[in-house]
Amino acid sequence: MAIIRPFKAIRPEKKYADKVVSLPYDVMNRAEAAHMADGNPYSFLHICRSEIDMPEQENPYDHSVYQRAKANIAQNLEDGVFVQEKKPVLYLYKQVMDGRAQVGIVGCVSVDEYMNNDIKKHEFTRVEKEKDRINHFDICNANTEPVFLTYRDNKKIRSLMEGWIANHEALYDLETPDGIQHVLWTVDDDSTIQALSELFGEVPALYIADGHHRSASACKVGLKRREENPDYTGEEEFNFFMAVVFPDSDLKIFDYNRVVKDLNGHTPEQFLTKIKEAGFEVEELGTDAYRPEGKHIFGMYLQKKWYKLTAGPAMVPDHVIDSLDVSILQDKLLAPILGIADPRTDKRIDFVGGIRGLEELERRTETDMLVAFAVHPVGIEDLLTVADHDMVMPPKSTWFEPKLGSGLFVHQL
């Protein structure tokens, strides 16, 4: 089953919503966050990246950073920029990007279901990134940004959502500078909330699409609060964390491409020969950018030329992880030919989200890198299958767009 629980959200007063909403904390660095928030005192970046309000310091994870975020939340509440719902509610959240819409439910999910793997994962997390959000959530006493979850589409849930949207006025309807439309409806009718909760009770599992660190951190804050409150009942807000839950059929995974600094001592001619010897069919395409049109096909940009690399049948294992294109590229080319054994730690490789386009791959090879690889996107069913098998995707496998808007809802613990 899957628990979806209403909550008394802290959210922007309607007239401030378009000024508050921001990109998530982890898609930009400090300088970029400061630039985005420049001249906008309402931007949620003053909360999720509160270091931009402080002098630059050696330790960006100093507790004073999180104390500033907490103070900024309190100030926004005092000034009426933020308000808090008087009763627990759910929300329906629609995002539109390039004409494609995804509609999900905003509510709280269970720490216990996360621990029991009823909320399924597909990535490893890093301790230092977990510590950052643990401190942020704990000191702010809130899940300040939601986790992005998905589930296998359910006709009854979709029908109920569509019916509510058709018959109710949106709370917010705004467009952010990146061209994404964000529309939010409040679901405050108790019978509808109960119906949605019961329908999700029939959903076998939820899956983390994006936000593994936020999920792990929220869970650990919940466990910390349990230790601090040994008489807890299980109904306290810290037993739950905030999420937006979308049906899988609404989602689009973009490619996650690779750029590498050097050819591991090979000349370009030797490198191409090695690729052919590994089992790839290599076709030179010229200067027109090439996006792989199917599985087990890759684009490569080297010395201002594009190549099409096709993995032969013998190169595709019958294994849920090893047969992914990101695995084939890693196992058959990056590791044995370019010497990149661990892409998580090797400084010679970098990753470029597909939203930035193939032009970014060309630019990187002409500035700080030497060769680029365009990868066909992982399918959503591939991700769910990996998670169902309790396996972990290779690093930097999936890039979801659009990103969730931050600041539209906050869950107080």
Side-chain angles (χ1 to χ4, degrees):
M1 62 175 292
I3 292 172
I4 297 292
R5 173 185 166 107
F7 66 111
K8 293 181 180 179
I10 295 171
R11 58 171 180 79
E13 177 65 48
K14 188 171 184 177
K15 65 181 178 180
Y16 295 110
D18 62 334
K19 301 177 183 68
V20 169
V21 65
S22 76
L23 286 170
Y25 82 102
D26 56 350
V27 300
M28 82 285 285
N29 59 33
R30 185 189 194 278
E32 290 168 333
H35 177 73
M36 291 176 185
D38 186 37
N40 179 9
Y42 305 110
S43 172
F44 200 73
L45 292 172
H46 295 289
I47 292 168
C48 66
R49 294 298 298 263
S50 54
E51 67 268 27
I52 66 175
D53 290 348
M54 306 173 69
E56 194 159 359
Q57 51 191 317
E58 185 175 341
N59 179 13
Y61 305 130
D62 188 86
H63 273 221
S64 62
V65 173
Y66 310 113
Q67 292 289 352
R68 174 58 65 90
K70 178 182 179 180
N72 288 346
I73 294 173
Q75 190 64 54
N76 278 324
L77 281 166
E78 183 178 335
D79 293 344
V81 177
F82 290 172
V83 296
Q84 185 167 23
E85 299 287 1
K86 291 182 171 55
K87 61 171 284 188
V89 300
L90 298 173
Y91 300 97
L92 301 185
Y93 181 29
K94 178 180 180 180
Q95 294 181 288
V96 183
M97 174 182 177
D98 298 332
R100 178 182 63 85
Q102 56 189 40
V103 182
I105 293 177
V106 184
C108 287
V109 297
S110 166
V111 164
D112 290 305
E113 290 201 339
Y114 177 89
M115 294 170 58
N116 296 337
N117 207 36
D118 292 323
I119 298 175
K120 295 184 177 294
K121 304 89 176 166
H122 67 267
E123 283 184 8
F124 289 123
T125 57
R126 301 207 319 258
V127 172
E128 67 274 14
K129 288 191 70 176
E130 281 189 31
K131 285 181 178 177
D132 169 45
R133 288 301 100 174
I134 288 171
N135 288 329
H136 186 83
F137 294 159
D138 195 28
I139 292 173
C140 289
N141 191 39
N143 304 136
T144 50
E145 293 178 293
V147 178
F148 184 160
L149 303 182
T150 188
Y151 62 99
R152 285 189 165 86
D153 206 342
N154 179 295
K155 290 182 180 179
K156 292 180 181 178
I157 295 174
R158 183 177 288 276
S159 176
L160 191 50
M161 289 195 298
E162 290 173 349
W164 185 269
I165 288 171
N167 290 290
H168 294 83
E169 183 180 348
L171 173 63
Y172 310 135
D173 188 347
L174 56 94
E175 185 173 310
T176 44
D178 55 3
I180 308 302
Q181 183 185 12
H182 303 259
V183 192
L184 196 72
W185 291 265
T186 306
V187 181
D188 54 3
D189 174 67
D190 291 341
S191 62
T192 304
I193 291 172
Q194 182 177 349
L196 283 168
S197 298
E198 289 175 354
L199 286 172
F200 269 98
E202 301 172 6
V203 171
L206 301 177
Y207 301 81
I208 300 174
D210 199 4
H212 282 78
H213 289 92
R214 271 166 279 170
S215 302
S217 300
C219 178
K220 289 179 179 178
V221 170
L223 296 179
K224 177 176 180 289
R225 295 293 180 93
R226 288 179 176 183
E227 289 182 5
E228 294 168 350
N229 298 273
D231 295 329
Y232 75 92
T233 66
E235 290 300 309
E236 298 85 356
E237 289 301 317
F238 58 72
N239 295 289
F240 305 89
F241 60 94
M242 184 173 60
V244 184
V245 192
F246 291 102
D248 64 334
S249 58
D250 278 10
L251 302 184
K252 180 176 180 179
I253 301 177
F254 285 72
D255 42 314
Y256 217 153
N257 302 313
R258 278 82 169 123
V259 287
V260 180
K261 278 187 180 295
D262 59 64
L263 300 182
N264 197 29
H266 303 303
T267 66
E269 294 75 19
Q270 291 170 336
F271 179 52
L272 288 167
T273 298
K274 290 281 187 182
I275 293 173
K276 293 173 184 176
E277 291 174 351
F280 289 96
E281 178 186 323
V282 179
E283 180 183 352
E284 184 178 323
L285 300 176
T287 57
D288 291 339
Y290 172 68
R291 186 179 301 281
E293 66 266 30
K295 285 187 174 184
H296 314 325
I297 302 172
F298 307 87
M300 183 177 74
Y301 189 65
L302 175 66
Q303 292 189 314
K304 298 185 181 294
K305 290 181 182 178
W306 280 93
Y307 296 82
K308 176 181 179 180
L309 311 182
T310 304
M315 302 177 72
V316 183
D318 184 18
H319 186 274
V320 64
I321 296 288
D322 296 344
S323 62
L324 296 173
D325 283 354
V326 286
S327 297
I328 293 171
L329 182 65
Q330 175 62 35
D331 297 342
K332 307 298 183 182
L333 196 159
L334 297 178
I337 301 175
L338 291 180
I340 298 172
D342 186 354
R344 287 187 179 85
T345 59
D346 198 309
K347 302 300 184 185
R348 296 165 53 229
I349 189 170
D350 198 6
F351 305 88
V352 180
I355 191 67
R356 305 191 70 171
L358 299 178
E359 298 79 12
E360 179 65 8
L361 299 185
E362 295 179 348
R363 188 191 72 80
R364 292 294 300 274
T365 63
E366 292 162 12
T367 52
D368 61 327
M369 295 290 178
L370 190 62
V371 61
F373 300 93
V375 184
H376 189 69
V378 171
I380 187 69
E381 186 57 38
D382 291 329
L383 184 152
L384 301 185
T385 300
V386 167
D388 281 337
H389 284 80
D390 297 326
M391 295 181 177
V392 175
M393 300 280 280
K396 307 295 185 182
S397 296
T398 58
W399 181 282
F400 284 91
E401 287 283 350
K403 301 298 183 187
L404 301 179
S406 289
L408 294 177
F409 22 78
V410 170
H411 171 230
Q412 194 170 46
L413 301 181

